[in-house]
Amino acid sequence: MPIRFPRLRKKARVINALLIRELMARFGHHNIGFMWQIIEPLMLTLGVMISWSFIYGDRNHGVRVIPLVLTGYTFLTLWRHMIARLTHTFRHGSGLLFHRDVRPADILVARGLLESIGTLISFFVAYIPLSLLDVIEPVDDYLVLLGAWTLMAFFSFGVALVITALAHFSDAFERIVQPIMYLILPLTGVFYMVYWLPPAAQSIVNWSPLVNASEMFRAGYFGSGLPTTWNAAYVLLCAIAVNAVGWVLALKAQQHIELE
Amino acid sequence: MTETLPDIMPAHVPEGRSSPRRRIAAQGISKVYQTPTGPKQVLSGIDFSIGPGQKLAVLGRNGAGKSTLVKIIGGVERPTGGRIVRGMSMSWPLAFGGGFEAAMTGYDNIRFIARVYDQPFKDMIERVDDFAELGQNLLLPVKYYSSGMRARLAFALTLAIDFDCYLIDEVIAVGDQRFHQRCHDALFRDRAGAAMILVSHDIGIIREYCDTALVLKGGYGRTFTDLELAISIYATL
């Protein structure tokens, strides 16, 4: 379907060019190229699968360990990579800005898309052989699973925008991003299921949009056999909120870009 | 966005019909940088306007604000006050290689520019290769290029697209003698009909090709149509 709005078509063209450029720059033509985008998270997931299998055995709190890790770590990778890759955009991409049609916002969108899609593919690259080998059970509900992924990508992108813009304004903030990211790991919900927790802890983590999204993702994967608590509307609302704040900040930061 | 007119207009509009819209103009451009020692006014109330085929020289000592002006005209940085009107298509700063991705091959860098500016690949690659004479080197990542090769690629890329106006920032001195001559021919002979904004210390080139001059001093600017007067004022700065 052809897009008719000229401005939108120009944006689409520029973002497409940036996507390809990002891929080429990161992985090149040689060896396996784009596959690295998929293999990087895959190696982490597989490594954790093996070590958790040793630590917990086949099941943890009655949930099979391998799918637990698969759903958790791909999700965590999406969150971490989205933020890490976007943070320096305003600094590194600056030479590109002499091409007037390329705005920093386009670079942000291109990177966000690449991370969201790349990590999702890596999930399926791990999932397909494991499920064919009957190591893990098949996905129960694709709609819920992919819905959770989309919400998570949207939310992470918003948070990444806020961080990117604030890091542009304050070097101090940039330095505390890493510790903060590490400290909020428990609030991502990837290491546990909410129903394992005592009720008091449950009522706290249920406020985290990340926990909601990861529970939803697992609900899509495991189906109704596993008790999950999530609210898609809440995640969507949080995602819209952080994106709104993020875009305002990013557009403000965009006006303050100064080249050497 | 401060522009009211579209950024890119069709490249081939019949010449000689210069409508008032077909201009590149700066209107009251000022720029203030926030520095650790307080705000620094780099440009104050710069005005100029050029139409199709006109060539404007920008003169000024180091630190007069030339590079800042180029960045603002080029659309990389936003002015603190005033606006730039772009009624003609304008190149990025000529031979500017800062947008190259070092890990990508020459070909991929060409393809990237072709995508952004909506040019056919084949045509673009032919034109670039023809001018830059990099041959097989285009298959190598740009990080292996010598600075001369990079400059040739950058120059060829700008010239491979037909712009109405070229923005030239002190680059006529790239490459060896032969390439130098070819750049000169490509710009001033083959594209004699294009408008140009030329930032240069080379009085010879300015005297030969420009018809207007903007003299910058301490962030203030004045446009002269009497080129000799502008050059003599520049000499006394």
Side-chain angles (χ1 to χ4, degrees):
Chain A
M1 188 185 74
I3 306 171
R4 288 191 203 284
F5 308 94
R7 286 187 79 103
L8 207 59
R9 190 157 53 196
K10 188 160 93 178
K11 280 287 123 182
R13 198 177 75 220
V14 169
I15 289 171
N16 174 50
L18 287 167
L19 257 176
I20 298 169
R21 175 193 169 92
E22 193 79 8
L23 280 173
M24 288 291 171
R26 229 186 278 169
F27 310 112
H29 273 298
H30 302 292
N31 58 58
I32 52 175
F34 176 62
M35 287 303 287
W36 281 115
Q37 177 73 15
I38 296 155
I39 288 176
E40 271 175 317
L42 197 61
M43 286 186 339
L44 180 73
T45 308
L46 289 176
V48 177
M49 267 181 202
I50 294 167
S51 59
W52 276 35
S53 299
F54 276 114
I55 299 169
Y56 299 108
D58 183 34
R59 281 164 189 275
N60 186 4
H61 290 75
V63 184
R64 293 186 60 184
V65 161
I66 289 181
L68 197 66
V69 172
L70 178 64
T71 51
Y73 268 81
T74 38
F75 225 61
L76 184 63
T77 309
L78 172 62
W79 166 247
R80 286 178 49 238
H81 279 197
M82 185 73 94
I83 288 163
R85 294 261 199 264
L86 256 61
T87 307
H88 299 291
T89 304
F90 285 157
R91 210 155 300 162
H92 295 325
S94 51
L96 280 175
L97 304 180
F98 267 113
H99 302 293
R100 232 172 358 269
D101 288 345
V102 180
R103 301 317 303 161
D106 304 326
I107 307 176
L108 291 169
V109 171
R111 291 190 173 171
L113 279 174
L114 186 60
E115 288 311 322
S116 319
I117 298 166
T119 325
L120 185 62
I121 296 175
S122 90
F123 170 79
F124 281 107
V125 169
Y127 165 76
I128 291 166
L130 287 174
S131 73
L132 288 178
L133 293 170
D134 268 340
V135 179
I136 55 176
E137 53 273 79
V139 171
D140 184 77
D141 187 339
Y142 277 101
L143 191 64
V144 175
L145 184 99
L146 295 176
W149 190 270
T150 311
L151 285 173
M152 178 65 178
F154 188 34
F155 179 76
S156 312
F157 183 73
V159 174
L161 273 184
V162 174
I163 292 178
T164 307
L166 291 178
H168 183 69
F169 288 122
S170 154
D171 294 336
F173 181 79
E174 194 179 340
R175 294 189 200 289
I176 60 172
V177 169
Q178 282 304 321
I180 291 177
M181 287 295 290
Y182 196 80
L183 290 173
I184 62 169
L185 272 184
L187 291 178
T188 58
V190 302
F191 302 112
Y192 55 82
M193 300 295 303
V194 170
Y195 79 95
W196 300 350
L197 303 176
Q202 284 192 22
S203 66
I204 295 173
V205 297
N206 276 336
W207 284 103
S208 162
L210 293 169
V211 171
N212 276 273
S214 105
E215 288 279 304
M216 181 179 171
F217 191 60
R218 281 173 173 155
Y221 185 88
F222 292 103
S224 51
L226 193 72
T228 49
T229 4
W230 48 276
N231 181 344
Y234 176 66
V235 184
L236 180 63
L237 212 64
C238 291
I240 291 173
V242 285
N243 272 279
V245 175
W247 275 115
V248 170
L249 287 173
L251 291 178
K252 205 160 167 50
Q254 179 166 313
Q255 308 210 324
H256 287 263
I257 287 186
E258 287 161 8
L259 297 182
E260 69 290 345
Chain B
M1 296 293 272
T2 47
E3 301 96 315
T4 49
L5 298 171
D7 265 353
I8 302 278
M9 304 261 294
H12 298 289
V13 176
E15 276 183 48
R17 280 203 272 138
S18 68
S19 83
R21 284 167 63 93
R22 305 233 318 124
R23 305 197 75 73
I24 302 244
Q27 299 173 345
I29 295 294
S30 66
K31 179 76 184 177
V32 180
Y33 285 113
Q34 300 300 329
T35 68
T37 54
K40 188 171 187 296
Q41 180 100 28
V42 185
L43 295 172
S44 330
I46 305 292
D47 287 300
F48 68 79
S49 172
I50 59 169
Q54 278 191 300
K55 294 180 177 59
L56 172 81
V58 180
L59 295 167
R61 292 250 164 266
N62 289 332
K66 296 191 299 292
S67 308
T68 306
L69 186 60
V70 166
K71 281 184 245 177
I72 289 173
I73 299 170
V76 192
E77 288 186 11
R78 296 288 151 90
T80 316
R83 58 179 208 145
I84 298 285
V85 177
R86 291 193 196 87
M88 298 190 279
S89 71
M90 187 172 62
S91 75
W92 63 92
L94 184 77
F96 173 75
F100 284 150
E101 172 54 60
M104 282 189 343
T105 65
Y107 275 123
D108 288 337
N109 274 294
I110 299 171
R111 283 196 196 96
F112 172 71
I113 299 287
R115 276 187 201 103
V116 169
Y117 289 87
D118 205 12
Q119 303 282 320
F121 285 167
K122 199 166 161 278
D123 199 38
M124 180 104 182
I125 288 172
E126 265 169 27
R127 293 180 76 169
V128 171
D129 197 26
D130 189 46
F131 193 80
E133 297 183 325
L134 286 164
Q136 290 293 307
N137 288 317
L138 285 177
L139 292 167
L140 285 178
V142 169
K143 64 184 165 195
Y144 297 117
Y145 287 22
S146 68
S147 53
M149 285 158 74
R150 261 181 220 231
R152 264 146 62 197
L153 178 59
F155 209 100
L157 271 172
T158 327
L159 294 183
I161 303 175
D162 289 316
F163 291 105
D164 296 331
C165 177
Y166 290 85
L167 181 57
I168 306 167
D169 185 9
E170 200 65 81
V171 287
I172 317 295
V174 298
D176 55 24
Q177 193 61 43
R178 189 175 105 83
F179 186 69
H180 193 151
Q181 186 57 43
R182 293 181 53 216
C183 291
H184 194 275
D185 290 348
L187 265 182
F188 299 114
R189 195 191 59 204
D190 305 344
R191 283 166 188 75
M196 290 180 193
I197 297 172
L198 187 72
V199 180
S200 178
H201 291 293
D202 189 334
I203 299 298
I205 288 183
I206 287 170
R207 190 172 270 141
E208 197 176 343
Y209 299 105
C210 295
D211 35 42
T212 330
L214 171 69
V215 180
L216 288 179
K217 188 191 176 187
Y220 290 89
R222 199 175 146 193
T223 318
F224 295 86
T225 42
D226 182 346
L227 206 64
E228 287 309 319
L229 179 61
I231 291 172
S232 65
I233 288 175
Y234 169 63
T236 62
L237 288 178

